Amino acid sequence: MCNNSLIYLATPATSTVAINGVLPFSTIVRRRGQTIQQSNNSIVLNASGYYKVSLTVTFTAPVAGVATIQLLQDGVVVQGATASATITTATTEVRSLSFDAIVRVRCCDTPSVLTVANTGVAITSSNIAIDVEYLD
């Protein structure tokens, strides 16, 4: 496997993400190597080792409340890879959330699947960008 693989995905179009929905990743902007691949709204890690994940989402919410996004690896929340913001004005308040995390894939756990879930109020995103880099 290529030891300097990366993928950069973006969803620059408006997307509605329901409560407990998965954030969509629509466009591969950059990709190097085969270790990291897109599969619908998830990212597949095909080699054991460490990966750095960086995510930013810009959005509004149709209702007031707390918007929260979380990184999941194989369906389990990655500790520390959570961001939230309180929305006080529905529909017009534009917010951005971001986080960086490092995930590990053990040799017997490949492939491993990353998704980003919206666990707060429903959101309408105007931009989603995620970058995953294979560290070693």
Side-chain angles (χ1 to χ4, degrees):
M1 296 284 170
C2 179
N3 67 355
N4 56 358
S5 290
L6 61 86
I7 195 165
Y8 176 54
L9 304 170
T11 304
T14 300
S15 301
T16 300
V17 184
I19 298 170
N20 295 320
V22 175
L23 274 63
F25 304 128
S26 65
T27 304
I28 296 175
V29 179
R30 299 278 184 270
R31 187 174 91 186
R32 181 174 53 197
Q34 297 297 313
T35 302
I36 309 166
Q37 297 187 349
Q38 178 188 22
S39 178
N40 297 317
N41 295 328
S42 63
I43 297 169
V44 180
L45 310 176
N46 291 309
S48 60
Y50 292 90
Y51 296 80
K52 181 176 182 186
V53 181
S54 300
L55 176 108
T56 301
V57 58
T58 304
F59 65 94
T60 59
V63 298
V66 178
T68 303
I69 56 170
Q70 294 181 316
L71 179 66
L72 289 88
Q73 182 178 10
D74 300 322
V76 178
V77 174
V78 175
Q79 288 184 342
T82 300
S84 59
T86 301
I87 306 298
T88 56
T89 308
T91 309
T92 59
E93 193 173 333
V94 178
R95 292 295 186 111
S96 290
L97 293 175
S98 62
F99 59 71
D100 293 310
I102 294 178
V103 298
R104 179 181 180 190
V105 178
R106 296 179 188 272
C107 61
C108 57
D109 292 337
T110 58
S112 185
V113 178
L114 300 178
T115 54
V116 181
N118 172 33
T119 58
V121 297
I123 61 172
T124 302
S125 68
S126 57
N127 187 62
I128 300 170
I130 189 166
D131 169 47
V132 181
E133 299 176 51
Y134 181 67
L135 300 175
D136 187 21

